[in-house]
Amino acid sequence: MEHIRNFCIIAHIDHGKSTLADRLLEKTQTIEQRKMMDQVLDDMDLEREKGITIKSHAIQMYYTCNNRQYTLNLIDTPGHVDFSYEVSRAIAACEGALLVVDAAQGTQAQTIANLYLALEHDLTIIPVLNKIDLPAANVEEVSEEVCQLLGCNKEEIILASAKEGIGIDEILNAVVDRIPPPKGDPNAPLKALIFDSMYNSFRGTITYFRIFDGSIKTKDKLKFMATNAYYEADEVGILRLNKEPRPEIQCGDVGYLITGIKEVKDVKVGDTITSAENPAQEPIKGFREVKPMVFAGMYPVDTSEFEDLRTSLEKLQLNDAALVFEPETSAALGFGFRVGFLGMLHMEIVQERLEREFNMTVITTVPNVQYIAHLTNKTQKTINSPADLPEPAKLEKLEEPYIKAQIITKSEYIGAILNLCIDKRGIFKSQNYLTPERVELIFEMPLSEVVFDFYDKLKSVSRGYASLDYELIGFRESDLVKMDILINGDPVDSLSAIIHRSKAYDWGKKLCSKLKELIPRQQFEIPIQAAIGSRVIARETIKALRKDVTAKCYGGDITRKRKLLEKQKEGKKRMRQVGSVEIPQSAFMAVLKLDQ
């Protein structure tokens, strides 16, 4: 155990974590030169296309320092705010962290958020200033920022450029010298933390774990403490670029476990694995539960694929523990699931992965957040979808979730950002100058206002210079109403939304005109209405496709023409009563792009 070091890399998005991981793997010769490529740990096509890390990736390296060989277990983590749950799991399995800061951009919101997460777990932090080779790099100023943030000396900061390979030796030596070896008792009953898992159609569920006490051997009888499931270890091994089987994984090390588990729900991330014959008394503490921020309905395009969608979501949940879902039904779309996500990017990624990895095409409804309804009979009800909202007569008050938003930006954009946040019902709390040029703004805002397009708008008003991080601070009472969309007189539950009364009229008007563009014309007239309760607040009409029935009448009395037009009108009326309107998938997504 003296020669093991477990560490992760934490940073804001696009500060060079994956490139730094590539250089570390190259330097320790974990990967042959001919197999080397950019972002080698990002093995999903999606990660390569978008240039972001979505999953934490664990890999083991060997490094010789002072004539001793050390085993380094590296976990590369994502940087985007939507994947902070991945970061929290990686941190729970480590003793130290490399805090990577871009020398051109300085500390950003997610840098600070991830740092606090690491400090909560008492991790040793090694500050690394990356991209020092850039012409825009401001080494002196950013070093000052890092020193203020960590309370460290300038000498402790390692200057590096992952692209050019500068400072890589210093980083590896610092990992060996500064990060403590894992603590634990090799002779105590087995305790291992599951920090990730994935599904393989040939081998079943593959579990990634970190051992805190004891050891795991092949053919050991194991118990999963949260689910009370018992399995035998068919194969254990270490995580190199490919999985390498070993007869035993020792205390303090990171590895993988294959037990032939076919039941996806038997493995929970954050669970403790122990020995079936000599079990540990209590599970490992300090692992937090996931809290979804955004909820949306997901329905298969073909209703017969409902069970396939359930299986796909279960397998995806193994690999993405932040995903939660439960079945629900919709009058317009049939059977589907109410799915909880950590944010809009997370939702987009899940949709893409369902399509690519499981060939599932889904219809996604308007995303919304969780509300708490206080009823007149003094009970509370959690509302995840507008359809769950009780009648107004039974409702005493509605509470919505509020967040504390931390925005770091250049001082010249303060005015534009203040306007944006106040427009989104934000309450300004404080501002703090990190340097004369950079300022931190703190707001309290309703989560429902941040969910849709806040991040995109923040980036455009600040020309890409602002970074955002947020945390939930509780629920507050608000004047919220349920707005229904009626198409041809029938409410479409998938387009309903819970919205603040002051914004309902504007929102309804925009949505009706957007739907008018997207719904194809029919043989009959289609009214599109936005209503609160029984009161219609906005209306648009899609005109009918008409045939000129008077074309064959030339000359003669006007009454002949009128008679034909009246007859056509009657027919259109009857058609409208029996006709059904097909709503395209683009109409459900229109709500997300109302301002474009």
Side-chain angles (χ1 to χ4, degrees), residues 108-120:
Q108 307 261 300
Q110 204 56 35
T111 317
I112 297 172
N114 287 343
L115 171 66
Y116 287 155
L117 204 59
L119 291 173
E120 272 174 38

Side-chain angles (χ1 to χ4, degrees), residues 43-247:
D43 51 9
M44 252 189 269
D45 294 344
L46 260 177
E47 291 181 310
R48 297 186 165 280
E49 281 166 31
K50 292 183 182 283
I52 57 173
T53 305
I54 294 166
K55 288 284 307 154
S56 296
H57 296 276
I59 192 160
Q60 193 171 88
M61 309 178 285
Y62 298 124
Y63 179 63
T64 307
C65 175
N66 306 332
N67 299 324
R68 284 182 175 181
Q69 195 186 45
Y70 290 88
T71 301
L72 310 180
N73 289 311
L74 158 68
I75 303 177
D76 178 25
T77 64
H80 195 280
V81 60
D82 278 13
F83 304 112
S84 55
Y85 189 61
E86 289 280 334
V87 182
S88 77
R89 288 159 32 198
I91 284 173
C94 292
E95 276 83 34
L98 296 178
L99 180 74
V100 179
V101 180
D102 186 328
Q105 294 181 11
T107 52
Q108 307 261 300
Q110 204 56 35
T111 317
I112 297 172
N114 287 343
L115 171 66
Y116 287 155
L117 204 59
L119 291 173
E120 272 174 38
H121 283 79
D122 292 334
L123 261 62
T124 303
I125 309 290
I126 300 174
V128 176
L129 210 57
N130 195 18
K131 306 192 186 181
I132 57 164
D133 58 314
L134 291 182
N138 192 342
V139 176
E140 278 304 305
E141 199 175 295
V142 179
S143 297
E144 281 293 331
E145 272 182 45
V146 174
C147 288
Q148 279 180 356
L149 187 65
L150 280 173
C152 64
N153 302 323
K154 270 195 182 173
E155 295 73 52
E156 291 175 44
I157 301 172
I158 298 170
L159 304 181
S161 164
K163 203 167 191 181
E164 300 296 325
I166 302 165
I168 303 302
D169 282 325
E170 288 88 333
I171 291 172
L172 286 165
N173 289 333
V175 166
V176 170
D177 296 337
R178 296 192 210 171
I179 295 175
K183 297 184 180 74
D185 183 355
N187 303 316
L190 170 67
K191 259 192 197 179
L193 172 78
I194 300 176
F195 66 86
D196 206 353
S197 53
M198 62 172 285
Y199 189 81
N200 180 310
S201 42
F202 302 107
R203 313 283 317 256
T205 303
I206 300 172
T207 310
Y208 298 145
F209 61 84
R210 149 80 203 270
I211 300 183
F212 283 88
D213 287 325
S215 62
I216 294 184
K217 297 186 186 71
T218 313
K219 299 299 174 203
D220 271 2
K221 300 272 189 297
L222 303 173
K223 175 188 174 186
F224 290 72
M225 290 179 93
T227 51
N228 253 341
Y230 290 85
Y231 285 100
E232 186 179 283
D234 294 344
E235 181 179 310
V236 293
I238 56 166
L239 295 152
R240 302 283 282 175
L241 194 57
N242 299 315
K243 297 174 184 66
E244 293 185 7
R246 293 281 187 273

Side-chain angles (χ1 to χ4, degrees), residues 11-31:
H12 188 77
I13 191 165
D14 204 25
H15 277 203
K17 294 178 301 300
S18 299
T19 315
L20 180 59
D22 290 352
R23 294 294 85 75
L24 294 175
L25 295 175
E26 240 177 21
K27 193 74 189 170
T28 54
Q29 293 170 357
T30 305
I31 297 175

